[in-house]
Amino acid sequence: EEVAALRPDLVLISTYTPASTRTAFARLGLRAAAFGLPSTVAESLAQVTDIAALVGRLTRGVAVNARVGAALAAMAPPPGTPR
């Protein structure tokens, strides 16, 4: 009920969210999307894209992913640097 009071467009839940919670959200008319815990940067970026698409902001999601990619590239060691 606390979540419903916020009138969210989308509730992000874990794949581990109990069925009773999922049922409660549905009963309250809340749209929920379940996501697992990403284990790679690629999986994280995919989740950003998926969430952005779900809220009708795909272009913004792509832009966020581009900024993350640029930040990762900027902090990468120069070629030939030993690991």
Side-chain angles (χ1 to χ4, degrees), residues 26-71:
R27 189 176 60 248
L28 292 168
L30 297 173
R31 185 172 144 218
F35 291 89
L37 182 64
S39 59
T40 65
V41 172
E43 289 176 2
S44 294
L45 296 175
Q47 284 188 357
V48 169
T49 301
D50 292 345
I51 294 165
L54 286 169
V55 297
R57 301 290 183 130
L58 183 56
T59 301
R60 285 190 78 179
V62 170
V64 167
N65 284 346
R67 288 196 313 269
V68 170

